[in-house]
Each structure stands twice: as C-alpha cells, then as structure tokens.
C-alpha cells in the first residue's frame, strides 16, 4: 500500500502502524476506515472515533507514541526518518484532540445520532473538516523554525482547526459548553510541548529540532552535522553505496587547492578541506515569487545565523526537505561548492545516500534525472548507475546536491528559468515511487533572480567572514605553513578578505617571499601588484617552467591584456560576466591573439569560470569581486591615455592625438556607471607626476570637438552600433577624465563660443544618447565653481532627476527656481545634498520662510572650493531668515541653526538685531553657546556674541527691533 506523507495525520498513522497490523486495523475501524482507505478521504465517519466518550482512538494513539522510542532503537535509514516525522505529526494532532475532549467532556454520539449526521446536510459540512484533520500538512520544525518557533505555528494551525471543529460540533446540539478559544489554545500548546519534550529526551532528532544539543561541540568542516544526524542504528551500506560514500568522504582529505592541477610554483602547503573549512554565517528564509533574492538590502532585514550545521541538520530531518529544494546562495568565492563537498562527506550513510552533481560538468539541457546519471558516471568511472543506486538505497533518504545553477543559466543557450520547478516535479515523482529525495541547489546570489521560485522555497544565503572567522582561517593556514600569514594584514584588505577564495588569494600573495613591502600601498598599487603576481604565476604554470625574460614578459602582458579586455567587455555590456565567445570576439576585434582550446583566462583565483555542457562546453567568466573589474578597466584606460599622450608630444612637433583606441573602448558607457573606476583612475594619475599633465594637455585637444575619430576597430561591438550613444558616451568620458586631473576652464575649450550654451548642448547630448542609468550616473559628478568645471566623483545628488539634470546642465538660475518649488512641495526631505552648495542653501532657507516648522535638512557644510563671497551671501540670507522666523522654531532647531550659521564667513559686521531677537527667545541656547570655545566661529560672529548680555537686551528699544523686522527684504542671492 502506498503511504501518505508522514507530515499528514493519515500518513503518520499509517507509518506508526506499519509494523503493528492489529493496532492499525483496530484504529482504522474506530475512525471509519480513514487510515487505510484506498481512495480519497472518507466522509465524516472519520470524526466519530475522536468524539466517542470511550476515547479508544486516543488511547491507541497514545499507545503507539509510547512505543516510538523503543521502535527507533531498532529502526534506521528512511524508515526512521519517516517514523520521526510521523511521531511529531501525531503529537501535534493528538494535542488538538485532547483539547476537543476538554471542550466536550460529556459528548457521546449514539448510533442513531451518527446515522442522522450521515444522512443530513452535516455530511457536506464535515467533509472539509475531515480533510483538514487527516490530509493537511501539520507544521513541523524546519530550516528556519526550531521547536520553539514551531510551537507558535502549531498554535496558529490548531486555532484554525479548532474553529472548524467547533463550528461543526456546535451544530449538533451536543451537551457541552465550549471554553474560550485562547484557553483551549493554551491547552493545545501545553500538551504539544509536554509530548515533544518527552520524545526529545530519548529521540536525537527531536533534540536537534529543539536546539537542545551542545553548542560547544566541534564545528570542524561540519563535523557537528554528522554527529547530529548519526543515529544509533546504522543501515549496512551495499556495494554501490560504499563506492559513492568513499568518493564523497575522500573530499575531506584533499587539499583545499589541488597543487598538481592548480599549483603556481610556490612552496605553500595547502591544508586539507577538513582542516581549513570554516562553517559560514548565513541568513535563511522561505522565499516566494515576490522575494528579492539578489537585493542585499532585502537580505539585511533577515536575522544573521551562525549555526549552519544545526540548521541544515534540522532541515534534512523534516518532510519539507523531500518536497522542495533548498536553495543555497552566495557570492562568487563564498564557498558554495566547497560546502556541498563537505555536506556530501558529512551526511551519515546510515540515513542518507548523497550524490553531488556539478552542473558545469553535465548536459545543461538534460532532465534532472539524466544529469544525476551523468554525474554519477563521471565521478565513479561508470561503476554506479542511478537506477541501481536508487534500488540499493531504498532504505535511506537520498540527497542530491545540484551545484552551480548560476553556471547552467549563464552558459546554456536554452531557457531553464523553471529549473527549480523541475526539481519539485522530480521530487514529487520520486516520492510517488516510494523513494523520497532531498535536493540542495546552489547558485550565485544575483543570478538566482533569473529562476522562477516555487512558493515557500527554503533559501540559505552564505555571508562573508567576520573578523573571528578570518582569524580562524588564518590560524589553520599557519599551522601548515612555515611562512605565516598575518591576520591583521588580511583584515586590513577589507572586503577582499571576507570571502574564502579571495582570502586564500591574498594569503598566497602576502606570504610569497618575492613580494616586496606592502605597507602604505594605495588600493590601486595593491591591485596592480596582485594582478602582476598572479599573471606571472599563471604563465609559469602553463609553461611548466619560468620562460626566458623577453618571452616571460610578453606572456605576462598577454595575460593582463586578456583580463583587461574581459573587464572592459563586461563594463561596456553593462554586465558582470562575459561569455567566452564574446571575449574571443573582443580580443580578435582589438587585434589580440586568441589561443586554440583551453580557457582564455586560465585558472586565476579571482576569476569565476561558469561552464555548462550542451554537446559542447559553454563557458563564461566573472570576477570574484567587482573591484577587480573596476581596477582593470581603470588601468587599461590609463595605459591607453599614456600611449596617446606619448604619441602626441614625444615627437619633434606636436601631433593631434590618435584617440582611435580610446574611442573604441570608451564609446559605450560613461565611466560613472561604476564610480570606483574613476577613483582608481585618480589614484593611478597621482602616480604619474608630469606625465599626467601631458595626458591633460592631450585631452584638452580632444575636448572642443568630441567627434568620433575614424574607427580602426569596427568589429569591436559589445553593443549594437549607435552613433549618438557613441558620441555621448565618449564625450562624457573625455570630460570626466580631464576633470579628474585638474579643473577645466571652459574658456580654453570653447574660446570663441558661448561656453554656457556649448556645455548645455553637451549635457543635452548625454541625455539623448545615454540610457537612463548612464545619464543619471553623471548627476552630481561635475561641479561648477569659480568659472571652472570640476570633478567630484564622491558627491551625492538630490535624488530628484529634474533638479539633478538642471545642475548637470549648469542652469543655475533655473535650478534655483526649481529647488525652491520642489522644496516647498516636498518639505525638503533629503533634498539639498548636491554640489552647488549656495544654490541649495538658498532654496532651503527660502523654504524655511514658508514652512518654518518642518524643514530641518539643510545644514550643509560648504565644499572647500566654495568662494567666500558665496558663503557670505548665504550667511546674510540665513541671518535674515533667523530674524523673521526664530520665534516659530524650537530651541533644538535654533541651536543647530546657529551652530551652522556661526561657521559661515561675513564680509561686513552684521546688525545685532536678529541675534538679539533670537537671544530674547532662547536664552538657554545662548548660555550654552557663550560658554563654549569659539574656535569654529568666524570673527564677526564671535565679536557679536561677546556683546550679548542681559543688560544690553533690556536696554534695547522694542520699536527698533520691530522697525528692523519690517525692513527685512529677503532675497535669494545671485550666484
């Protein structure tokens, strides 16, 4: 007989009576045949056994539960797994039935009453209730719910069930007086807790669910997971299971990097996986179609966990594990694949048979069962067949680890967005054949949003290492190596040390005796050294030796060129990855050689190579961290600029810059789409000395026309041809690069034209030619002060496209008018944080005149380049606003306002009247100000404050203040 799932009450009763046929037959008869019914759920006769005064069904259920602990000592594998879930389902449901008896203690249906129910309308009414009792899933502990959290869910489930039961029974006019639902739910919860804790004392699985285990136990390479899931009775593995188990277990003893395959000629000792694997921190949730799995902000709202081994153990003990896949997410280099290897080795073979499927190695378009067959054949050299293994492992829970869904999605040419839905269907069919299978699927976090998520999919996202984990990893490394890694040096590298693979890369670099001093390196210098070092190691590894000097340097340059072309290909396509076909086309278009066969980017630690097979191997590349891409783009751009400047000025007479290659590379996206690129370019320019001046001079020759040059690389097409976009992107990048070196004087760029109109036309070209993201990325980057165009890549924007666009166009008068209108309409929340300090402050101050009680977001510090004249005009305006509105403000706002105002310079001594009026309203504020050191106050303000005394205020004629207020003429400064 096919059993129902143990998570339903009927399925649980079937499992409890599997080895006790007399018990099961007796209970089935009491419940109207519901337990062993061959078809669907029978009608409401299934209720009679639970409301019968003799309470025989309840007694039989208690009898079975009392025997569970003893039965489990003789049961292992799949039977044990299902029996544990059945026991939990039964104690939860029994708690509800106990409560029903408490509510109807004297109820007893005679045979005529039962017949009346069956022949009346109650039959239709009761059928849904019977289904709720016997066929619905009962809440069990799960990936994100331990015993305590599950108790609340059981309570909610019981409330719904009790409402339906009482609604049905109340209509029968039984002699009973039901209690209030809250009291009954307390009884359900108490009964459930008591039964659960009794089982937890003798059943290890219940202890795991309740998180009552020893937290101080070893966590080395998920060793605790193995301990938690190892049961007292071990099923004897058969030949095929022995083979799979041996392959899985061997991964723990392999070095973290296979030196024979991936060595770089160093004498570093790579620790075994079991010695250096650090259990990552994580966040876990049930996702649905509305979940934003690729959004880091969304994940930040979910609590951070540190007991991944316990959470995974809890998951594999539930029926949920065999109904839908567990999605395991992480960034490249987070250790997803390594975790699946450790998981395959640690799940005990007494209960689990584990098959790991690297999706990059199997046919990406094949059915899941065929992918499993292919992976088994590859890993066992054809010795193990999936069907035969399934037959021999029928007494265990099979676990399939599908590693690398992101690689399959990126590299395949077919749509596999429904892959997780396919997994659910695969699990359903396997369960229908009596062979339940749990599935774990790994993927990069960002790519996960390209798949359709089945509802209630459990998701675990691996988090970065914290400082303690970095210390632990470094300690494990140092135990195997004579040249130790300094943990503080690693942590000083910020995010680069927070992913396991990147931490390994840094360790190999910093412990290399050939690496020079690393103190006081800029970020760009560190990245440059890293890429150069690993390019040299890659060349040595590929050649099997250190080539002669000239050959060696040429090969190193080739490796670096390929990396930079890949980075630019990703940048220009607006993606974080590039396919091998795209990279090949880019290299050929730029006149670079492409080797036959093998990976174009070798085996660099910092490059993630995604593969999928569809008859042929499809490969794509991605850098493990975005800053690798950003540095390589910056370095290549600066190299091209250096060549351009040398070609312009190095000969006997100046030539017009040959910017063909520069245009080819920079005519697709503005550099601001990845702001760190400009930061790296700035750092690289700082190292060039006078050479940076030559680059600026060469760019000055290109700025006036910004017309596309003749293109000697017509085949370089990261995006379809678009002449307007090319002109817009290239001109924007020229001005960005030039302003990064030094401020631009528009008069020198357009000496015979109206500079304002030329700049506006240029900004309008950017608006027309760039996509919305590219255009918005230019907001806040250019600043206009002292008649110069400056670059301020770290500046923020107003967040209002209308205002930011006017600022980019340099329309200061229009911006001023718009800013006031928007401020008044939007209450200035968050507005006024752009570059043009004076304009924004004037808008804010004007808004204060109209909305004095709600606008408190304008206390901006003037940038260093702001002229004294502009600051003084803002100060005068602010002082007038103080006079008119200070009586409407509260003391906290006034104090903040004054602290901001007193730091602004004045060109002339101010009238004392506004300050005297504020002093009159807020004496305690001035007492604090006058008692403080005056270091941050400008001279005129300091002098004025020193004259404020109660005596002077008392002698000041009120009429004078009134006359002053009447004469205040608030006007916006003209900047």
């Amino acid at each position: 007989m096919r059993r129902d799932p143990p998570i339903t009450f009927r399925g649980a009763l079937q499992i409890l009576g599997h080895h006790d046929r007399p018990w099961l037959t007796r209970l089935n008869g009491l419940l109207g045949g519901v337990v062993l019914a061959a078809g669907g759920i029978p009608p409401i006769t299934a209720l009679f056994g639970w409301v019968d005064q003799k309470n025989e069904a309840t007694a039989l259920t208690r009898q079975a539960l009392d025997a569970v602990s003893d039965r489990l000592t003789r049961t292992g594998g799949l039977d044990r797994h299902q029996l544990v879930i059945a026991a939990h389902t039964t104690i939860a449901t029994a708690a509800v039935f106990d409560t029903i008896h408490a509510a109807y203690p004297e109820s007893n249906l005679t045979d005529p009453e039962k017949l009346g129910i069956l022949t009346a309308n109650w039959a239709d009414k009761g059928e849904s209730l019977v289904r709720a009792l016997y066929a619905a899933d009962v809440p069990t502990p799960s990936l994100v719910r331990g015993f305590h959290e599950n108790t609340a869910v059981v309570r909610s489930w019981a409330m719904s069930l009790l409402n339906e039961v009482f609604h049905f029974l109340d209509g029968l006019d039984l002699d009973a007086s039901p209690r209030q639902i809250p009291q009954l739910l307390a009884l359900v919860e108490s009964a459930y807790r008591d039964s659960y804790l009794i089982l937890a004392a003798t059943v290890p699985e219940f202890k795991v669910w309740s998180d009552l285990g020893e937290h101080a136990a070893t966590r080395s390479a998920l060793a605790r997971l193995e301990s938690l899931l190892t049961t007292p009775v071990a099923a004897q593995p058969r030949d095929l299971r022995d083979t799979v188990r041996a392959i899985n277990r061997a991964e723990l003893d392999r070095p973290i990097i296979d030196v024979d395959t991936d060595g770089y000629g160093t004498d570093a000792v790579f620790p075994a996986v079991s010695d250096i694997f650090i259990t990552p921190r994580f966040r876990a949730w049930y996702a649905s179609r509305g979940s934003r799995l690729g959004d880091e902000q969304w994940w930040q709202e979910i609590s951070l966990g540190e007991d991944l081994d316990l959470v995974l153990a809890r998951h594999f003990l539930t029926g949920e594990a065999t109904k839908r896949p567990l999605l395991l997410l992480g960034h490249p280099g987070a250790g997803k694949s390594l975790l699946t290897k450790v998981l395959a080795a640690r799940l005990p073979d007494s209960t689990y048979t584990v098959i790991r499927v690297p999706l990059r190695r199997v046919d990406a378009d094949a059915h899941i069962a065929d992918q499993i067959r292919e992976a088994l054949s590859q890993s066992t050299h054809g010795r193990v067949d999936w069907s035969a293994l399934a037959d021999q492992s029928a007494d265990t829970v099979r676990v399939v680890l599908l590693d690398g869904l992101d690689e399959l999605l990126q590299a395949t040419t077919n749509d596999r967005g429904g892959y997780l839905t396919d997994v659910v269907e695969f699990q359903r069919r396997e369960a229908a054949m009596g062979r339940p299978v749990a599935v774990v699927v790994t993927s990069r976090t960002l790519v996960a949003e390209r798949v359709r998520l089945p509802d209630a999919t459990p998701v675990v996202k691996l988090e970065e290492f914290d400082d303690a984990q970095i210390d632990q990893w470094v300690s494990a490394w140092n135990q195997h190596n004579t040249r130790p890694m300094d943990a503080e040096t690693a942590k000083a590298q910020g995010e680069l040390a927070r992913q396991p693979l990147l931490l390994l890369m840094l360790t190999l670099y910093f412990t290399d005796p050939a690496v020079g001093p690393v103190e006081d390196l800029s970020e760009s210098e560190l990245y440059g050294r890293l890429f150069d070092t690993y390019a040299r190691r890659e060349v040595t590894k590929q050649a099997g030796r250190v080539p002669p000097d000239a050959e060696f340097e040429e090969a190193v340059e080739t490796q670096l060129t390929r990396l930079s072309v890949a980075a630019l290909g990703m940048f220009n396509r607006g993606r974080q990855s590039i396919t091998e076909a795209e990279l090949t086309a880019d290299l050929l278009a730029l006149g670079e050689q492409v080797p036959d066969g093998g990976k174009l980017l070798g085996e660099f630690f910092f490059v993630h190579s995604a593969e999928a097979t569809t008859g042929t191997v499809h490969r794509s590349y991605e850098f493990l961290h975005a800053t690798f891409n950003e540095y390589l783009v910056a370095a290549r751009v600066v190299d091209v600029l250096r060549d351009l400047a040398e070609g312009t000025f190095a000969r006997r007479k100046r030539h017009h810059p040959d910017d063909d290659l520069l245009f080819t590379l920079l005519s697709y996206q503005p550099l601001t789409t990845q702001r760190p690129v400009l930061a790296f370019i700035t750092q690289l320019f700082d190292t060039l000395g006078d050479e940076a001046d030559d680059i600026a001079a060469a760019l000055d020759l290109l700025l006036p026309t910004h017309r596309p040059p003749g293109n000697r690389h017509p085949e370089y097409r990261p995006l379809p041809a678009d002449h307007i976009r090319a002109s817009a992107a290239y001109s924007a990048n020229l001005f960005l690069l030039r302003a990064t070196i030094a401020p631009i004087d528009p008069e020198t760029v357009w000496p015979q034209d109206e500079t304002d109109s030329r700049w506006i036309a240029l900004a309008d070209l950017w608006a027309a030619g760039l996509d919305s993201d590219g255009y918005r990325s230019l907001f806040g980057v250019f600043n206009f002060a002292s008649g110069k165009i400056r670059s301020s890549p770290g500046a923020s924007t107003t967040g209002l496209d209308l205002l930011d666009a006017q600022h980019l166009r340099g329309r200061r008068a229009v911006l001023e008018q718009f800013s006031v209108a928007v401020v008044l309409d939007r209450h200035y929340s968050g507005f006024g944080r752009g570059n043009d300090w004076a304009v924004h402050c004037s808008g804010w101050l004007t808004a204060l005149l109209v909305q004095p009680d709600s606008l408190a977001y304008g206390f901006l510090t003037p940038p260093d380049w702001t002229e004294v004249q502009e600051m003084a005009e803002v100060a005068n305006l602010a002082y007038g606003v103080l006079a008119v509105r200070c009586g409407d403000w509260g003391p906290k706002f006034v104090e903040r306002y004054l602290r901001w105002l007193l730091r602004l310079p004045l060109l002339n001594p101010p009238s004392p009247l506004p300050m005297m009026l504020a002093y009159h309203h807020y004496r305690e504020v001035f007492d604090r100000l006058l008692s403080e050191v005056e270091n941050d106050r400008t001279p005129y303000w300091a002098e004025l404050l020193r004259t404020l005394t109660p005596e002077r205020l008392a002698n000041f004629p009120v009429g004078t203040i009134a006359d002053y207020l009447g004469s205040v003429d608030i006007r916006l400064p003209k900047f």
Side-chain angles (χ1 to χ4, degrees):
M1 179 193 74
R2 177 184 175 274
R3 302 178 197 165
D4 284 17
I7 200 172
T8 68
F9 187 44
R10 185 165 76 160
L13 294 176
Q14 291 169 0
I15 290 169
L16 287 175
H18 180 59
H19 294 292
D20 191 347
R21 192 69 184 185
W23 177 91
L24 186 60
T25 302
R26 176 60 181 158
L27 183 66
N28 186 56
L30 290 170
L31 300 180
V34 67
V35 181
L36 300 178
I41 297 292
I44 61 170
T45 53
L47 290 175
F48 295 154
W50 301 114
V51 297
D52 194 316
Q53 189 178 30
K54 294 189 291 291
N55 207 8
E56 288 186 67
T58 302
L60 284 173
T61 303
R62 291 294 176 193
Q63 176 187 330
L65 285 173
D66 291 342
V68 162
S69 296
D70 182 59
R71 282 183 58 187
L72 285 172
T73 62
R74 307 187 305 274
T75 308
L78 177 59
D79 285 345
R80 181 185 180 93
H81 175 80
Q82 293 183 328
L83 182 57
V84 168
I85 298 172
H88 179 272
T89 300
T90 303
I91 65 171
T93 312
V96 175
F97 290 139
D98 288 343
T99 303
I100 293 174
H101 281 290
Y104 295 91
E106 304 299 329
S107 63
N108 187 25
L109 295 178
T110 64
D111 288 341
E113 287 174 327
K114 294 177 182 178
L115 182 61
I117 292 172
L118 292 173
T119 58
N121 291 334
W122 296 113
D124 295 336
K125 183 179 177 183
E127 187 170 347
S128 65
L129 171 57
V130 175
R131 292 186 180 278
L133 280 172
Y134 287 98
D137 289 355
V138 176
T140 61
S142 65
L143 180 83
V144 298
R145 287 198 312 265
F147 161 58
H148 297 290
E149 295 85 358
N150 194 60
T151 299
V153 182
V154 167
R155 183 184 177 102
S156 177
W157 162 79
M159 180 173 68
S160 175
L161 192 57
L162 286 173
N163 280 328
E164 192 162 356
V165 169
F166 295 152
H167 179 60
F168 172 75
L169 293 179
D170 286 350
L172 300 180
D173 194 26
L174 298 176
D175 184 14
S177 54
R179 304 180 188 180
Q180 294 297 315
I181 286 291
Q183 296 172 304
L184 298 174
L185 288 177
L187 291 176
V188 172
E189 183 175 336
S190 177
Y192 170 70
R193 283 181 176 274
D194 290 345
S195 299
Y196 188 101
L197 294 175
I198 289 171
L199 285 172
T202 57
V203 180
E205 290 86 345
F206 277 74
K207 185 178 292 187
V208 171
W209 279 337
S210 59
D211 194 11
L212 297 174
E214 176 58 56
H215 279 267
T218 176
R219 299 187 185 184
S220 173
L222 296 186
R224 187 169 70 143
L225 173 71
E226 185 174 16
S227 174
L228 290 170
L229 294 180
T230 298
T231 56
V233 176
Q236 293 298 319
R238 300 172 186 173
D239 291 344
L240 296 182
R241 288 180 57 199
D242 270 341
T243 302
V244 173
R245 173 65 173 167
I247 291 172
N248 289 339
R249 193 75 183 184
E251 291 295 332
L252 293 178
D253 298 323
R254 294 187 62 168
I256 191 73
I257 293 293
D258 190 334
V259 179
D260 293 335
T261 303
D262 301 316
Y264 284 84
T266 70
D267 58 355
V269 177
F270 295 92
V273 170
S274 59
D275 293 332
I276 201 168
F277 177 82
I278 306 297
T279 303
R281 302 179 302 158
F282 68 97
R283 301 180 194 272
W285 199 247
Y286 286 108
S288 61
R289 291 180 178 86
S291 300
R292 304 192 308 276
L293 298 185
D295 185 351
E296 287 295 325
Q297 292 300 317
W298 183 82
W299 279 107
Q300 291 303 310
E301 298 176 4
I302 298 171
S303 61
L304 184 66
E306 297 185 352
D307 291 314
L308 182 60
D309 45 7
L310 177 64
V311 168
L312 290 175
R314 207 160 61 194
H315 172 72
F316 286 115
L317 289 174
T318 66
E320 170 187 271
T322 58
K323 294 181 65 175
R324 55 182 65 86
L326 165 61
L327 183 58
L328 183 68
L329 301 179
H331 295 301
K336 301 181 296 296
S337 295
L338 186 59
L339 177 59
T340 63
K341 293 178 182 179
V342 175
L343 187 59
R346 289 300 190 188
L347 284 172
D349 60 349
S350 60
T351 306
Y352 304 95
T353 298
V354 188
I355 304 97
R356 182 173 176 271
V357 182
L359 291 175
R360 63 161 52 193
R361 302 300 183 198
V362 299
D363 187 347
D365 297 327
H367 186 272
I368 292 167
D370 293 328
Q371 292 177 333
I372 297 172
R373 291 189 186 94
E374 188 176 352
L376 272 173
S377 179
Q378 292 174 1
S379 63
T380 65
H381 295 175
R383 290 183 174 87
V384 177
D385 175 73
W386 168 242
S387 298
L389 180 65
D391 289 338
Q392 291 190 5
S393 61
D395 58 345
T396 66
V397 178
R398 293 164 304 152
V399 178
V400 174
L401 308 175
L402 300 170
D403 181 31
L405 175 58
D406 55 299
E407 303 190 62
L408 181 147
L409 293 173
Q410 281 186 280
T412 185
T413 56
N414 295 319
D415 178 19
R416 299 226 59 177
Y419 190 83
L420 294 180
T421 305
D422 295 342
V423 171
V424 172
E425 177 61 18
F426 168 73
Q427 290 179 288
R428 187 194 65 78
R429 291 187 179 184
E430 290 293 312
M433 293 186 288
R435 296 173 178 176
V437 56
V439 178
V440 177
V441 181
T442 74
S443 174
R444 280 198 309 114
T445 303
L446 290 177
V447 177
E449 292 196 333
R450 293 174 51 188
V451 296
R452 293 182 286 278
L453 286 173
D455 286 336
T457 299
V459 184
V460 169
K461 178 179 177 291
L462 303 184
E463 289 295 311
E464 297 178 335
F465 279 177
D466 59 15
D467 285 353
Q469 289 174 309
I470 293 175
D471 291 338
Q472 188 180 356
W473 191 97
V474 170
S475 176
W477 174 271
N478 290 343
Q479 290 175 19
H480 293 77
N481 286 274
T482 57
R483 288 196 305 275
M485 175 64 176
D486 178 54
E488 296 306 315
T489 299
K491 286 181 280 193
Q493 309 314 313
E495 290 186 1
L496 285 185
R498 305 283 170 189
Q499 302 283 7
L501 192 56
L502 293 176
L503 179 56
L504 175 61
M505 180 197 75
L506 289 173
T507 299
L508 289 173
Y509 173 75
F510 283 114
T511 58
D512 188 341
V515 172
V518 295
E519 294 79 8
D520 301 323
L521 287 180
S522 69
E523 194 175 14
S524 64
E525 289 170 327
L526 174 61
Y527 278 81
R529 287 195 185 185
L530 280 171
F531 283 115
D532 183 75
T533 298
Y534 278 98
R536 293 177 184 277
R537 291 179 179 177
E538 182 66 21
V539 169
T540 302
K541 187 185 72 171
Q542 290 184 2
R545 59 184 175 83
V546 178
D549 289 347
E551 179 185 343
F552 190 36
E553 295 303 322
E554 182 179 356
V556 169
E557 185 62 29
T558 297
Q559 292 290 338
L560 293 174
T561 297
R562 289 179 191 165
L563 289 169
S564 67
V565 172
L568 279 161
M570 299 175 200
F571 173 79
N572 283 328
R573 290 174 174 85
R575 301 202 312 254
Q576 292 185 345
S577 63
I578 187 171
T579 67
E580 193 160 68
E582 290 169 336
L583 178 54
T584 298
D586 289 357
L587 287 167
L588 291 174
L590 295 173
E592 304 293 340
Q593 293 184 348
V594 177
D596 295 329
K599 294 181 179 179
L600 285 176
L601 297 187
E603 298 287 349
F604 290 108
F605 276 107
F606 45 79
V607 176
H608 173 64
S609 174
E611 294 183 5
T613 304
T614 55
T616 59
V617 174
H618 300 269
R619 189 176 290 125
S620 64
Y621 300 103
E622 177 182 1
F623 292 100
L624 292 187
H625 199 278
T627 52
F628 292 137
N629 179 301
E630 291 153 358
Y631 170 79
L632 286 166
V633 170
R636 183 61 186 270
V637 168
V638 172
D639 282 345
V640 172
L641 286 171
R642 295 177 69 183
D643 291 341
L644 179 144
E646 183 178 5
T648 303
F649 300 111
R651 289 175 283 186
R652 286 185 299 172
K653 64 178 183 178
R654 187 184 74 182
H655 293 263
H656 189 78
D658 180 0
D659 61 334
D660 187 85
L661 180 58
L662 187 68
F663 172 80
T664 298
L665 300 178
L666 295 184
S667 57
Y668 292 91
Q669 304 282 354
L671 291 168
T672 44
T673 56
Q674 293 183 19
R675 290 286 180 96
V677 172
L678 284 177
F680 276 125
I681 287 175
T682 301
Q683 292 180 20
L684 292 169
F685 279 158
D686 290 342
T687 67
L688 298 182
D690 293 342
E691 192 176 357
D693 296 334
D694 291 341
I695 292 174
L699 289 170
D700 283 337
L701 297 175
L702 296 173
L703 292 180
T705 57
H706 61 79
R707 286 193 299 269
N711 191 354
R712 293 194 295 272
H713 306 282
E715 300 302 319
Y716 185 78
R717 286 280 183 267
L719 297 175
D722 183 331
H723 297 302
I724 297 177
R725 182 205 60 230
S727 182
Y730 186 55
S731 61
N733 285 329
L734 289 179
F735 274 88
L736 286 167
L737 291 168
R738 177 59 182 82
T740 297
I741 299 175
I744 302 171
D745 184 355
E747 299 291 343
T748 63
V749 178
W750 302 293
Q752 298 178 350
D753 291 312
E754 289 288 336
T755 57
D756 287 350
S757 61
R758 292 297 299 269
W759 177 261
I760 291 172
L762 192 60
D764 289 344
L765 170 64
W766 299 339
L770 301 175
D771 63 24
S772 59
D773 289 339
Y775 178 57
R776 289 192 180 97
S777 75
L778 294 171
F779 292 168
V781 173
F782 293 107
N783 175 69
F784 310 94
S786 304
K788 301 291 181 65
I789 302 171
R790 303 171 186 269
S791 172
S792 50
S796 60
T797 63
T798 68
L800 300 170
D801 287 358
L802 177 65
L803 299 185
D804 290 329
Q806 293 302 323
H807 180 269
L808 179 62
R809 299 173 82 237
R811 299 294 301 276
R812 310 187 71 170
V814 175
L815 174 62
E816 182 178 289
Q817 297 168 11
F818 275 132
S819 66
V820 173
V822 172
V823 160
L824 298 179
D825 182 57
R826 295 279 296 272
H827 283 238
Y828 206 78
S829 57
F831 171 76
R833 304 187 188 280
N835 293 328
D836 204 330
W837 175 84
V839 171
H840 287 311
C841 285
S842 67
W844 171 63
L845 292 167
T846 304
L848 277 176
L849 290 172
V850 181
Q851 298 286 343
D853 59 345
S854 61
L855 307 175
Y857 301 96
F859 302 108
L860 304 179
T861 300
D864 293 340
W865 57 75
T866 308
E867 294 183 354
V868 174
Q869 176 68 33
E870 290 189 346
M871 289 189 283
E873 293 198 30
V874 168
N876 288 328
L877 173 61
Y879 199 36
V881 172
L882 176 70
V884 174
R885 284 300 184 189
C886 70
D888 300 316
W889 299 338
K892 289 184 178 179
F893 184 84
V894 168
E895 182 170 351
R896 190 179 178 195
Y897 188 93
L898 287 170
R899 291 185 185 280
W900 169 76
L901 175 61
L902 297 176
R903 291 195 297 269
L904 299 180
L906 292 171
L907 299 181
N908 299 293
S911 166
L913 294 177
M915 199 69 76
M916 294 293 290
L917 185 61
Y919 185 79
H920 172 75
H921 286 292
Y922 305 104
R923 182 79 59 86
E924 71 282 4
V925 171
F926 282 86
D927 288 343
R928 284 193 294 274
L929 292 176
L930 293 171
S931 66
E932 296 174 356
V933 179
E934 303 175 357
N935 292 339
D936 60 345
R937 297 172 194 159
T938 52
Y940 284 128
W941 291 126
E943 179 62 28
L944 177 58
L945 284 178
R946 282 193 289 269
T947 67
L948 292 180
T949 63
E951 294 77 15
R952 188 177 184 192
L953 179 64
N955 296 328
F956 228 92
V958 176
T960 303
I961 297 177
D963 292 343
Y964 173 81
L965 291 177
S967 67
V968 171
D969 182 16
I970 300 294
R971 298 187 181 187
L972 294 180
K974 301 301 181 184
F975 301 124

